[in-house]
Amino acid sequence: MDDRRRRSTPLDRLLEAAGRAVGGVRLLVDEPTPGITRIRLSSRASRVNGMETALYLLGSVLVDTGFVHAAPPLLRFLAERRLLAICLTHHHEDHAGSAGPLAARHGCSVYLRNPDRRFDEGLGDLKPYRRLWWGEPPAYEPVEMPERIAVDGTELRALPIPGHSATHTALLHEPSGTVLTGDLFITGGATAVMSHENPFDAIASLRRVAALEPRRMLTGHALVVETPAPVLRKKADTIEVAAARVLALHASGAAVPEIVRRVFPNGRAHDLMMGALTGGEFSRTCFVRACLRYSR
C-alpha cells in the first residue's frame, strides 16, 4: 500500500463536510451513442461553474468514476450492474474520486496510466477549492493501463495523451468509432491551464487523437463532439501559435505579466478571479510559465 497520501487534518474534515453540505448532487443518465451509457454528475457548486463531470459505461467497463462527493448516488445506480473493470482517463479528483469505493464494492481492477504519478499534480496535497468542489479521492491501488483492454466483450484501445496530466489516456472504442478523452478538450483555443500542465505535450496529444479520425468524442465534462478531428487540430494549432508568441515576447525581454496581457488581451478580470480562487493553480499566467518551462 502506497503511504504517500497526507493525513487528514481538521481543515480537510471541515472542507469535506462543507462539500457535502453544499450538496445538491445530481445524477443524469443518457446514451450519446448506441451501447455507451453516459452518467453525468454535478453538485450545486459544479453547476454554478458549468463543470459537471461525465463517466461512461461500456458493457462491464466503467470509464472514469466522477468525484467522491457524488459517490453515494453513483454506488446506488451501479449496485445491480456487473462491473468488471474501471479505466481512468486520468487521476484527477473530479474523474477518479470514486474509484476506491467502486473497486471495493465490485471487486474489480482500476486501470491507470503511470500509476506512480497519481500523487503528483496537486493530488498529494489538494488545495482547498479542490477539496470543497470535488473532495479528496479515497485510497485505491491502480494497475498500469494496458495498450488494449478486453473485458467481457468490450474492447478499448488506450493511447497516452499527456499534457493536462501525466496519467492522461484516451480510450478508443473502435466498433463505434468513439474516443473517450477525459480532459484533453474542454474548450477551444489557448486558455488558462493548471500549474502542472505542459502545453507542448497537449499539442502533440490533440494531434495524436485527431489522427485517429474518430466518429465522435466523449469528454470528461459531458461534451459530445461529432467528427472531432478538425476541432482538435484547430485547438492544437491555436495553442502552438500562442506558445510561439509567448517565447518570442520572452526573448524580446518582456516579463511574464506583460506577456499575459499581450497574449490574452481579453477576460483579465475573470482570469484574476480564477487565479485568486485557486491559489494561483489555474490561470493564464500558468500557461505562460509552462511555455517557458517546457520550451524545447
Side-chain angles (χ1 to χ4, degrees):
M1 178 72 70
D2 199 311
D3 61 357
R4 286 178 290 172
R5 296 173 61 85
R6 60 180 174 76
R7 295 182 182 278
S8 177
T9 68
L11 176 60
D12 295 331
R13 292 189 287 274
L14 177 62
L15 287 165
E16 292 294 329
R20 290 190 293 271
V22 298
V25 172
R26 182 182 295 164
L27 185 153
L28 301 173
V29 179
D30 61 7
E31 192 173 88
T33 191
I36 300 179
T37 299
R38 177 173 61 173
I39 305 166
R40 297 161 57 189
L41 298 172
S42 64
S43 64
R44 290 192 187 97
S46 68
R47 287 193 292 275
V48 167
N49 291 300
M51 289 293 283
E52 70 176 349
T53 63
L55 36 152
Y56 300 91
L57 192 61
L58 298 86
S60 301
V61 179
L62 183 67
V63 175
D64 285 343
T65 67
F67 53 103
V68 72
H69 290 330
L74 180 62
L75 287 166
R76 288 194 297 270
F77 175 76
L78 294 172
E80 302 303 319
R81 287 166 173 78
R82 190 174 183 228
L83 194 61
L84 298 180
I86 295 170
C87 295
L88 297 177
T89 61
H90 60 301
H91 181 74
H92 285 174
E93 69 279 4
D94 49 337
H95 302 280
S98 295
L102 281 169
R105 175 72 61 86
H106 292 268
C108 62
S109 296
V110 180
Y111 296 109
L112 175 71
R113 177 174 168 77
N114 290 334
D116 58 318
R117 300 287 303 276
R118 68 189 185 278
F119 295 106
D120 298 350
E121 303 169 356
L123 267 296
D125 187 10
L126 283 182
K127 286 187 178 292
Y129 81 97
R130 294 170 71 172
R131 282 180 272 148
L132 177 61
W133 287 357
W134 310 117
E136 186 162 357
Y140 70 99
E141 290 299 315
V143 177
E144 177 67 47
M145 181 80 72
E147 291 184 6
R148 287 192 176 270
I149 300 96
V151 177
D152 197 30
T154 296
E155 293 193 16
L156 296 168
R157 176 183 166 196
L159 294 91
I161 52 169
H164 175 68
S165 170
T167 64
H168 216 166
T169 305
L171 295 157
L172 177 64
H173 183 242
E174 292 176 311
S176 66
T178 300
V179 64
L180 298 96
T181 57
D183 281 354
L184 175 70
F185 185 95
I186 299 176
T187 61
T191 61
V193 300
M194 299 183 77
S195 57
H196 62 264
E197 295 191 47
N198 183 327
F200 302 101
D201 280 352
I203 291 166
S205 293
L206 286 160
R207 290 179 176 151
R208 185 176 302 120
V209 174
L212 299 172
E213 298 292 344
R215 292 195 194 100
R216 71 187 53 80
M217 174 174 67
L218 305 179
T219 79
H221 290 287
L223 187 63
V224 179
V225 182
E226 301 293 334
T227 317
V231 173
L232 295 170
R233 291 191 181 102
K234 182 178 179 180
K235 183 175 177 71
D237 291 345
T238 304
I239 296 172
E240 188 170 55
V241 168
R245 192 164 181 221
V246 168
L247 298 180
L249 287 166
H250 180 258
S252 72
V256 168
E258 181 184 353
I259 297 173
V260 173
R261 287 194 298 271
R262 293 176 66 176
V263 175
F264 301 105
N266 301 315
R268 180 169 171 75
H270 180 266
D271 187 55
L272 289 172
M273 180 192 71
M274 290 302 297
L277 180 64
T278 63
E281 193 175 49
F282 180 83
S283 70
R284 291 165 170 175
T285 296
C286 290
F287 177 88
V288 170
R289 292 190 184 281
C291 290
L292 301 177
R293 182 166 64 251
Y294 293 113
S295 62
R296 295 170 172 84

